Amino acid sequence: MLGIGKDFYAGTDQGRQRRGNEDSHFARRPLFAIADGMGGAQAGEIASRIAVSVFEHGLPDLPGSCEERLASLVQDANARIHELSRTDEERAGMGTTLTAAYLHEDELAVAHVGDSRLYTLRNGVIERLTRDHSLVEELVQEGRLTPEEAEEHPQRSIITRALGPEPHVLVDHFTRRVQAGDIYLICSDGLTSMVKDEQKLGELVMGSATLREAGQTLIDAANAAGGRDNITVVLFRIVEVAHGEPAVPVDTDHTMIGSGAPTVQQVRAASVATAVQNPSATEAARRLPRLPATGEAPKRRRGRKTRRVLRGLVVGALVVLPILGGAWIASQSVYFVGTDDQGFVTLYRGMPYELPGGASLYSVNYTSGVPIGSLTPKVKGTVTAHKLRSRDDGSDLVKQIEQAKLAGQGGGP
Ligand code: MG
């Protein structure tokens, strides 16, 4: 008989550049989930928390397969988030990814929306089981971007499907037959955008003595690579369970390892095995434009080393600033059309590039009400090409898209 081992891991980390953590996760055998929220003013944190909270009472007692019941919970989460975003102005436009897995006997039911991911490691081989609902993955599927181009694409973090924006959402769901020894990894894009090599992810897990060590190693690797986003990792293992033991014990406790100190209420909530929520508040929007490094390094140990670093920075700045200044001035006279963090067609001033450290060479000039997902593939292609344009040209294009949308033509010139 198969079950889930006791040594599962669930942890989250703010990363090195965000000022809060908008990821949430749920880890109570036999059900595991990760949600990665988006939206300013803490809305992303709220969306992801609502998403994982739907698992608190397990699967609903409804007819249907585990897979269908799991997917119906994801629909419930969508409805709750959408309702709140509709009725609360401050939460308008919030959304979240959600990737959930539930073990029943020797089958793992999976439900998934967005760009958090589920991987399996079987016999030392890592395989991704979910497909990202992201702009770049769609373009890769259509053969218009190579996977390598997708990794460097300025809009790689735009997702095309999320819980919250619409009253109904299309949920990917499937069932997978598991084997003893399988390891499953669910993670937010804060891991996979920093450690892009999937083989490397597999090696880091396989090279660890325990899943706890593996989880911490993955988080450390994402931080070492820049830690530009919140990082959340869930790992569990399929094991043989002796007869007489419950195949899938229901946990009354779970691991909670994350950034920041949880509040008393959160510790208490965790100890009674409710949904695990990320412990810190946030105000950073999850998607474009990305925040530059916040520079919130510990203030201790200043002194000679700091001065030496400062001197180096001054010399470096004398050389680099005129070049950057020129690039900046040049960038401000051009425009391009793309999508914003919610996927709406947007006119940007500047160039579609980012400087090392995450500072971008563009700013929002105008955001339309037209979601990229509603456009025809041709128009979508025009929007995602990020061609440099004059201001008039760029705003004409956005206007045409808006007008075509109003006329019900599914978008575009
Ligand atoms: Mg993320």
Side-chain angles (χ1 to χ4, degrees), residues 88 191 202 221 350 411:
D88 182 343
L191 174 65

Side-chain angles (χ1 to χ4, degrees), residues 339-403:
T339 54
D340 74 350
D341 60 336
Q342 310 294 336
F344 290 104
V345 174
T346 298
L347 179 64
Y348 289 95
R349 180 178 184 179
M351 295 194 285
Y353 303 111
E354 290 178 357
L355 299 173
S360 52
L361 280 174
Y362 52 83
S363 57
V364 172
N365 182 267
Y366 171 77
T367 305
S368 77
V370 182
I372 180 91
S374 69
L375 302 179
T376 61
K378 181 166 167 259
V379 182
K380 211 187 266 183
T382 310
V383 169
T384 55
H386 300 142
K387 192 177 135 195
L388 297 181
R389 299 169 187 275
S390 68
R391 183 186 177 155
D392 287 348
D393 189 26
S395 52
D396 276 355
L397 174 61
V398 175
K399 239 177 262 165
Q400 284 176 50
I401 290 173
E402 283 181 325
Q403 282 162 359

Side-chain angles (χ1 to χ4, degrees), residues 283-348:
E283 67 226 43
R286 177 181 163 217
R287 307 294 179 184
L288 286 175
R290 292 181 191 83
L291 296 172
T294 53
E296 289 173 337
K299 290 196 175 113
R300 285 170 283 130
R301 282 191 285 161
R302 285 210 162 175
R304 215 188 320 162
K305 192 174 171 198
T306 312
R307 281 198 297 276
R308 209 184 313 141
V309 170
L310 280 178
R311 210 182 310 138
L313 283 178
V314 169
V315 172
L318 286 176
V319 177
V320 171
L321 277 182
I323 301 171
L324 287 184
W328 187 82
I329 290 163
S331 75
Q332 295 311 294
S333 56
V334 292
Y335 291 74
F336 68 96
V337 175
T339 54
D340 74 350
D341 60 336
Q342 310 294 336
F344 290 104
V345 174
T346 298
L347 179 64
Y348 289 95

Side-chain angles (χ1 to χ4, degrees), residues 105-127:
E105 297 178 352
D106 63 348
E107 289 186 335
L108 190 70
V110 178
H112 162 73
V113 173
D115 68 351
S116 300
R117 292 181 179 176
L118 171 70
Y119 289 94
T120 177
L121 281 110
R122 178 176 286 177
N123 302 323
V125 178
I126 188 163
E127 183 191 351

Side-chain angles (χ1 to χ4, degrees), residues 23 36 188-190 229-230 286-287:
D23 289 357
D36 178 351
S188 60
D189 70 333
D229 195 2
N230 310 139
R286 177 181 163 217
R287 307 294 179 184

